[in-house]
Every structure is written in C-alpha cells, then in structure tokens.
Amino acid sequence: QGESMDLVRKIDAQYNTDDDITLYPKDIENEVINKIRAFDQIFPRRTRPSSRAAFLFRYDGEPLWKNEFEKVLRETDELLGDNDNANNNKGPFFCGERFTAADIAWAPFLERYSAQLPCLHPGLNPRTDETNYPNLVRWYDAMDDLVPSYSCRIKGDASSWRKVLTMAGFGNAGVPLDVSERMEEAQADESQALSEEEEEKEQKIWETYSKTRPWVARTPSLEAAMTMTKNRDAILKDINKRASADLTEYTERELDEAMRAMICFLCQDEDEFNGDGTTALDRTKYAKIVGSLATYLDKRMCVPRDMGPRSAAKIKRLIPTVNEIVMN
C-alpha cells in the first residue's frame, strides 16, 4: 500500500483545493492515517504473494482456514464501527460520514474478499452477512450507492475476481470441485434480472456518475453497447484467436451480425432487431448466436479493464434473456 497511498496523497493535493472533499480532511487526518495503517495489523500475514489473489492462500496453495478469514472480517467490522472523531461515528465509511483515503486503501482488498471468500468456504459472505458483520455490509452498500465513480467504473466485478481463483490459487492441483460449484452458483445468481426498484436505483446512481462525464452513455446498457461498438474489431479478432466451441460454427459475417444484434438487445431496441421482414427462424438463429457471444464475452471480459461493472452486468444478464427466446 505504501507507494500507492503516496500517489493518492499527491493526486489529492494536486486536484482537491476544497477541504470538504479532500481525501485527507485536516480535522481527521490522523484518523485517516491510522485507519490506513490498521490494514497491515488486521489482514493475514504469511500468505502467498499475488497481485490478484492476495491474502487468500498459504504457500502450499491451500486457502487459509475459515476461522482466519473470520478473524479478519470481525476485526475489520470493529474498525469500521470505531471512529475516533465523535462527529463521524454515525457514517458508513472508515472515518465516518466522509469518504476518505482510508476507504481507498481498503477497497481493493475488501472488494476481492466479497467475491472470493464465498467460493473458498461455505457460509462466508462478508457482503451480505449483516448478523456477523453489520458495519462491513453497510460499508459495501455505501461504496456502491454513495461513490458512483467507484461502482460504475472503478470497481472490479465478482465474476472477474472469481476467475482469478482458477489462475492464482490452489497450487498445481486445480480448483477443487466444491469451489467450482460455488463459483457456478454465484454466476447463476448474478445473471438474474434486476427488479424494477433495483433498476431505478441503479439508473439514479448512473445518472449521478454520467452527468459530469459527457463521453459516458446515459445508461449502463448503452455504455456496454457503445464499448462493444468501439471495440468490435478487437472482439472479433479475439474470437478468431480463442475460438469457443459454441462460436466456431459461425462465419465471420455471422459473428458480425451477431455483434449488431447483441448491441440492439443492449439498446433495448427489439423492433430494430426483428425488423426488415426477419422471420421467427431468423430470430431464433440470432438469439442462439447472441447467447453464445454474450457467454463468451462474459467469460473473457475483465472488469474494470474492459468496461465498468454495471455495464458488464448488462451483458451477463442478457444471457438468460436470449436463452429463453431460443427455448421458446
């Protein structure tokens, strides 16, 4: 964290002239620094170094014991509930009501834990366990709801962090069956459509994020469509290089048409997708190839490198939608 936090401080000093929005508020600067330093005391030691699966595995490739992770989560939850400044003790962040450099220091690792720990041990889910980790759940919610730039573009998604487990863990023995099953269950859950209330909430967060960024599309779905359009050639090249069994039966022209159809789905423009006299058979054919393409992209995509998590989720949720068209 040392050099990274040095950069955070320099960026804060260069771009923040208003102490109300600084990452190191003068009145609680010592608290911010102490909360950052607490990370080294709380997170597990003697774990195998990894840039993508840090603080997870022993040197023999096995995950840490469940009680070791529980200790980390419990102490983190206690730290979140212990604010030195009496004016801040009701807020969800590490230093109370204000988002600070302390949250930046902890976010990458807590973000990964929320996705990876449920796969490593049953019944270990810091993102939703309000009984054991109420302050931690509140912090996760605040990061998603109150820091739009984080939840719309900066944050990695759970799917991307789970993929890391297959590449950076478990020694040379491969991924255990029970871990693979938990990963598949999580994938299925995340593919479910949002409720109307959840959609409205997400859109409000997205509008807060996009209103000061004119280059960003007005919805997460349109952002995903725009990103696919910009990277169309690179995506087709990647498919040709790493051809999936579900896509090898299609010609380059058919894949190009599938890209266009998929973009129409993301734009919620089904009239255009089914227009120009296309038949039910054509619809079924496009739905099948779009499903295969969306599945391929979901597996290949790295979030947030390729696009933000809210936009990537739209592609993931498209898969069961088109599969249902094929089944019908």
Side-chain angles (χ1 to χ4, degrees), residues 21-256:
I21 59 172
T22 180
L23 299 174
Y24 292 88
K26 292 179 181 178
D27 60 324
I28 57 169
E29 184 172 3
N30 288 337
E31 183 184 359
V32 173
I33 294 171
N34 289 335
K35 292 291 174 67
I36 294 172
R37 290 174 177 171
F39 178 88
D40 291 333
Q41 300 166 353
I42 292 177
F43 258 60
R45 302 176 183 179
R46 296 185 294 276
T47 55
R48 188 170 64 183
S50 171
S51 61
R52 295 179 293 181
F55 305 105
L56 292 177
F57 297 100
R58 305 193 300 260
Y59 279 88
D60 63 1
E62 291 297 315
L64 299 179
W65 295 107
K66 183 178 181 180
N67 63 354
E68 294 181 86
F69 288 127
E70 289 174 332
K71 179 176 181 292
V72 172
L73 298 176
R74 185 172 60 253
E75 292 182 1
T76 303
D77 190 78
E78 291 171 357
L79 184 68
L80 279 162
D82 177 25
N83 291 288
D84 297 335
N85 190 306
N87 294 325
N88 288 327
N89 59 8
K90 294 183 180 180
F93 298 109
F94 274 92
C95 294
E97 295 178 351
R98 283 176 282 186
F99 173 80
T100 68
D103 301 288
I104 292 176
W106 282 79
F109 305 99
L110 292 178
E111 174 188 307
R112 299 174 200 189
Y113 263 24
S114 70
Q116 295 167 336
L117 295 192
C119 298
L120 298 180
H121 294 288
L124 191 60
N125 194 335
R127 181 64 184 88
T128 60
D129 190 348
E130 293 183 274
T131 301
N132 293 308
Y133 317 113
N135 296 315
L136 194 49
V137 171
R138 192 165 64 135
W139 179 84
Y140 281 120
D141 288 341
M143 291 294 289
D144 282 344
D145 298 345
L146 304 179
V147 191
S149 59
Y150 171 75
S151 63
C152 292
R153 191 62 187 91
I154 298 170
K155 178 183 176 182
D157 71 346
S159 180
S160 294
W161 288 126
R162 285 195 302 269
K163 294 172 191 173
V164 169
L165 296 178
T166 67
M167 300 180 286
F170 304 108
N172 296 316
V175 181
L177 179 60
D178 57 345
V179 174
S180 296
E181 290 175 349
R182 291 185 205 120
M183 292 172 66
E184 291 172 1
E185 290 171 2
Q187 178 80 1
D189 290 341
E190 292 161 7
S191 298
Q192 298 302 309
L194 297 180
S195 67
E196 184 176 342
E197 182 179 352
E198 289 170 331
E199 286 279 6
E200 291 178 358
K201 179 180 178 180
E202 179 176 75
Q203 183 56 30
K204 287 181 180 178
I205 294 171
W206 186 267
E207 288 171 359
T208 301
Y209 166 69
S210 62
K211 69 180 180 181
T212 58
R213 297 169 174 84
W215 60 89
V216 173
R218 67 177 183 271
T219 70
S221 287
L222 291 177
E223 182 72 11
M226 183 173 69
T227 302
M228 283 187 62
T229 302
K230 289 179 179 178
N231 295 281
R232 168 185 161 275
D233 292 338
I235 293 172
L236 291 174
K237 183 178 180 181
D238 186 76
I239 292 173
N240 289 330
K241 182 179 179 180
R242 305 172 183 272
S244 165
D246 293 334
L247 295 175
T248 52
E249 61 182 286
Y250 300 106
T251 66
E252 185 171 344
R253 180 184 178 124
E254 288 173 326
L255 288 171
D256 182 73

Side-chain angles (χ1 to χ4, degrees), residues 6 16-17 47 87 125 190 256 301-302 307:
D6 288 341
N16 278 341
T17 57
T47 55
N87 294 325
N125 194 335
E190 292 161 7
D256 182 73
M301 197 173 345
C302 178
M307 68 175 68

Side-chain angles (χ1 to χ4, degrees), residues 266-283:
L266 289 169
C267 293
Q268 298 179 341
D269 190 1
E270 294 193 19
D271 289 338
E272 180 178 341
F273 173 65
N274 293 312
D276 300 324
T278 55
T279 65
L281 180 61
D282 290 330
R283 177 184 173 91

